[in-house]
Each structure stands twice: as C-alpha cells, then as structure tokens.
Amino acid sequence: MAKTYDYLFKLLLIGDSGVGKTCVLFRFSEDAFNTTFISTIGIDFKIRTIDLDGKKIKLQIWDTAGQERFRTITTAYYRGAMGIMLVYDITNEKSFENIKNWIRNIEENASADVEKMLLGNKCELEEKRQVSRERGEQLAIEYGIKFIETSAKASIRVEEAFFTLARDIKTKMEKKLKEASNPPKGGHQLRASEPQKKPTSWLSRCTLL
Amino acid sequence: MPDCSEYYQTEISEGRNKRVIKCKFCSSVILTPSSASFTRLEVRKYICLNLIIFHVTMYEPVIIIYKLPHIRQTKGSESDPETEDIIHFWAVEDMMTFYNVGFSNTVGNTKYLTCADCEAGPIGYHDIPSKMSYVALSRVLHSNSTEKN
Ligand SMILES: Nc1nc2c(ncn2[C@@H]2O[C@H](COP(=O)(O)OP(=O)(O)O)[C@@H](O)[C@H]2O)c(=O)[nH]1
Ligand SMILES: [Mg+2]
Ligand SMILES: [Zn+2]
C-alpha cells in the first residue's frame, strides 16, 4: 500500500519526574468505582497525524516509563529521536535548574541534530510560580531553542507546542533535502551551520492567560 | 456469539474499509478509508476424535475467538480483566498507517490499541510477533466525514 504520509517524526519528552510529561501526552481518567483497563496498563506511545502546510506528518510520541527518577535515560530511549520536548514545572525551581543537566544528557546520548524545545508546564498555577516566564525565555535563547508555557491540566498550548516542534523539524529536514539535491558548487566544503533561531516573534504569542 | 458479518458487509469495499474509522467517544480519526483489511479472526483448532468402531478419524473444529478486555473494569479485576469475544477486526499491517492511535504498554505478546485523543480502549490489539494490528469493528464508529463532531 502507498504511504499515506510525507514525514515521520519520532518525538520524546524529557525532564524531572513530576513536571507533568505523562499528563502532557496522556489523559487518564478514572472515577471512584471503575477503572479503565488502559489506565491500569499505561500507554507506551501514540501515533498522531497532523497537517502542516499541506504535508501529512506522522508523529510518534514516546513517554518515559519513569526512568528519569533514577537519571538513567539511556541511548536506547533517544535512538531515532528527531525532536525532544524538555519539560520543567514553573512551580518547581529545581526542575528548571535541572534542564541544563537534561540538555547535557541529550548531548551525550541523542543524535547531534535533534530539534529541542523548552516547555514550562503547570502555567495555570500562577500563585505557586517559582520560575518567571522571562527566565524560561532567557534559558531558551541561551540554547537557541524555542520556549512555550503550557498547562496539561487546563489544556493550554499543549497542541501548539507539538505543532511548533514538528514544524521546526520539517523545516530543518526540507532544508537538508534541498541541500542534498543541490550540493553547493566548488569552494564550499562545509555547509553553513543552522543559523541561530530568533524566537522573538514566536514568543510574543506566548503571553500568559 | 452473533455473527454480524452481514451488517458489516456495507462497510467493506474490496476487502477494505469503505469509510473513515473513528473513536466512538470523541470522533477522533483512527483510520482513513481503505487503509485496513476486513478480517474474520477465527483460529480453527481440530480435536482428533478416533471413532474406533468405524475405523475413521474425525476432526472436530473448535473456533478460538479473541478475548478483548472491556473498556471499563470493576475495581479489583485488574489481574483478571473481564473480556468480550470478538471475531471481526480491521487488520493493519504497518502501525504507521494509523491516523491517530495509542499503543499501551506490553502485556504478554500484545499491546492494546486506544484512541489517541480520549484514550478510550482497548479498541483492538497489536500482536508483537507478527507486527499486525487489529481494530475491533464493534469498538469503533464508521463515518462518512473526517470532521471531528
Ligand atoms: N496543576 C497542574 N498539575 C499538573 C499539570 N500537569 C501535570 N500535573 C500534575 O503533576 C503530577 C505529575 O504529573 P506526571 O505527568 O505524572 O509527571 P511526569 O513524572 O513528568 O510524567 C501529577 O499529579 C499531575 O496531575 C498541569 O499542567 N497543572
Ligand atoms: Mg511520567
Ligand atoms: Zn476518543
């Protein structure tokens, strides 16, 4: 059968335990008397199809099985990943400080050109906030990645975050494909590296609530 | 076990799904038209009956039906889930054919399939050794429109 999509991207969520990674991806529901069969077993990954500029993109999104508690995210989990959501909790300073360690872990284990994005989750808990939005923005600029504040609980900008990451991977990929089909002529041995992204225009949309 | 193949005939065109397959609960699109093949899953096992007086051997067919756990379970039944016998499935060869779907953690040789949006499930199962996925016709909606409504 013919392929029904143009691109396939594998995405991961990384960050301290408790920041809300599983909630960003899944929404288990239970009541007092019944449990759903699925919530008992847990979900491993999801396949989603999105439409970006007329192209069908398949996203395969993986959650950790809680290994992050022991800081044992290994090369196996990162294998084949093209995009990583780095998640911290805006009400937990430590989870924000640890983003640097997670970035180091990614550099050691994931493919070098993996696209990253920073998520400040639980943004509906304004009264408990410990990490200002400006600090989130600043850290993202430092690493040349995009930043967005989300709330998995209140369903704020979660979908937008995945679209943004997918669009960035697609752009990068199309650029590579284009370069591969028109190799630079003589003289240019090395390809220009990716220009640093300016997240300004995009950040202006990230005004909170 | 009622055989509903006749009712399902209208959903099949050249052995494949004629219409969009959606979640019953939230209308999330699971499979687009013509992306899965209709399968009547019955594994026949033959029990050997030696009828010695006639000097013949007869084989008695026994149909094994897939036991798919119910979506809702009463608390406490986790280790021994209540199941439903299902034989009509949409078979999907490549998991990437799914438009939207969730895969549960592994249980034995199986990963259960769920809606990617509301996580209702199991709507079917994925058989790890054969890499085939099966969506139960009775656990999904067949619809003409791809719109979520
Ligand atoms: N208030 C609030 N709580 C959240 C949000 N996202 C997750 N949580 C809660 O944070 C806790 C940890 O979430 P979980 O997804 O298991 O975190 P993980 O360890 O990163 O996978 C749970 O109690 C969630 O209900 C959010 O956006 N807002
Ligand atoms: Mg988790
Ligand atoms: Zn659903």
Side-chain angles (χ1 to χ4, degrees), chain B residues 23-28 115-120:
Chain B
C23 171
K24 271 190 176 175
F25 303 91
C26 75
S27 295
S28 170
C115 168
D117 280 308
C118 71
E119 286 159 15

Side-chain angles (χ1 to χ4, degrees), chain A residues 50 79 82 87 94 174 177:
Chain A
I50 61 171
R79 189 164 297 133
M82 298 155 88
V87 191
K94 187 89 187 110
E174 284 172 346
L177 285 172

Side-chain angles (χ1 to χ4, degrees), chain A residues 16-23 26 63-69:
Chain A
D16 279 8
S17 178
V19 298
K21 299 180 297 299
T22 300
C23 292
F26 307 133
D63 187 23
T64 64
Q67 316 90 301
E68 73 276 22
R69 249 169 297 162

Side-chain angles (χ1 to χ4, degrees), chain B residues 54-70:
Chain B
F54 298 114
H55 299 281
V56 291
T57 302
M58 276 178 60
Y59 292 92
E60 182 78 2
V62 176
I63 297 175
I64 296 173
I65 293 160
Y66 194 82
K67 294 192 179 306
L68 195 62
H70 283 295

Side-chain angles (χ1 to χ4, degrees), chain B residues 7 10 12 16 27 33 39 44 50 61 93 104-105 112 122 125-126 134 138 149:
Chain B
Y7 162 71
T10 57
I12 308 167
R16 305 187 83 85
S27 295
T39 310
R44 277 175 202 275
N50 279 310
E93 274 172 38
S104 80
N105 287 323
Y112 292 99
Y125 69 101
H126 171 78
Y134 298 94
S138 60
N149 41 30

